[in-house]
């Protein structure tokens, strides 16, 4: 499957079509791919991850605040931490096979990095950042509600 097909498949899985496909490509690009394949390009997922992490924390905080009025601040903080931790996010990402769409360099691919929770969860946050940049907060919150918060008690 070529990259264009992979991106279209991912968009279908997440129910969002990017207006600016470069945002999606950036969110899926590991620095090893950028360095090896894109000949030194600095465009990788790390900046998107930074933004996606903030959007995720805001969205989860909003959800907990509105849906758990009985909780005190400390309880909400602990619950939010469990929702946005590496293991939980990697599990949420694997539910729609995000790991299959990550653009890795040859060395990282050979090391099995596609299976590492740290990379999968980072790319998941980067994808949230890309959705936010492309479609604004409402789209990012819809994505988070669908892939993180929906059925969170059973995850």
């Amino acid at each position: 499957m070529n990259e264009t097909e992979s991106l279209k498949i991912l968009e279908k899985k997440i129910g969002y079509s990017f207006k600016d496909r470069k945002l999606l490509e950036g969110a899926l690009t590991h620095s090893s791919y950028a360095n090896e394949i894109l000949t030194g390009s600095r465009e990788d997922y790390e900046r998107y991850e930074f933004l996606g992490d903030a959007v995720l924390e805001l969205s989860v905080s909003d959800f907990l605040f509105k849906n758990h009025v009985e909780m005190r601040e400390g309880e909400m903080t602990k619950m939010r931490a469990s929702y946005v931790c590496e293991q939980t996010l990697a599990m949420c990402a694997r539910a729609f096979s995000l790991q299959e769409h990550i653009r890795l360099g040859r060395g990282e691919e050979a090391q099995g990095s596609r299976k590492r929770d740290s990379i999968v969860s980072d790319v998941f946050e980067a994808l949230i950042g890309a959705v936010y940049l492309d479609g604004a907060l409402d789209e990012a919150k819809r994505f988070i509600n669908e892939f993180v918060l929906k059925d969170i008690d059973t995850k």
Side-chain angles (χ1 to χ4, degrees):
M1 154 175 48
N2 68 37
E3 283 192 29
T4 302
E5 290 172 352
S6 176
L7 296 176
K8 286 180 183 178
I9 289 168
L10 180 58
E11 286 177 323
K12 188 171 184 171
K13 287 178 184 177
I14 66 172
Y16 183 77
S17 293
F18 279 79
K19 296 178 244 359
D20 183 353
R21 186 66 66 79
K22 291 205 178 300
L23 294 172
L24 177 57
E25 290 171 357
L28 298 173
T29 301
H30 188 270
S31 59
S32 65
Y33 185 93
N35 291 327
E36 291 175 26
I37 310 301
L38 301 178
T39 59
S41 169
R42 297 304 325 152
E43 182 71 356
D44 61 44
Y45 68 72
E46 291 176 2
R47 287 177 50 83
Y48 297 96
E49 175 194 356
F50 169 80
L51 185 58
D53 177 62
V55 173
L56 176 64
E57 287 225 6
L58 171 64
S59 297
V60 171
S61 297
D62 182 63
F63 172 83
L64 291 172
F65 188 87
K66 290 177 179 173
N67 291 289
H68 292 282
V69 294
E70 77 286 357
M71 284 187 174
R72 308 277 306 149
E73 181 269 340
E75 294 173 282
M76 288 189 295
T77 299
K78 286 178 187 174
M79 185 166 280
R80 181 184 61 205
S82 71
Y83 287 7
V84 301
C85 74
E86 181 179 289
Q87 186 178 17
T88 300
L89 296 180
M91 179 186 61
C92 293
R94 287 187 179 103
F96 61 92
S97 305
L98 178 61
Q99 72 279 4
E100 294 174 7
H101 304 278
I102 299 172
R103 297 162 41 153
L104 293 171
R106 292 178 293 276
E108 290 291 330
E109 189 73 67
Q111 292 177 15
S113 295
R114 191 174 303 280
K115 295 178 182 175
R116 289 181 36 210
D117 281 358
S118 59
I119 290 178
V120 175
S121 64
D122 288 352
V123 172
F124 185 76
E125 287 180 326
L127 182 57
I128 292 169
V131 169
Y132 169 77
L133 288 170
D134 194 69
L137 186 58
D138 285 344
E139 278 300 324
K141 286 179 81 171
R142 182 208 56 82
F143 177 87
I144 293 164
N145 285 335
E146 177 67 24
F147 294 104
V148 178
L149 298 173
K150 183 178 173 184
D151 303 324
I152 191 68
D153 294 332
T154 61
K155 290 180 180 171

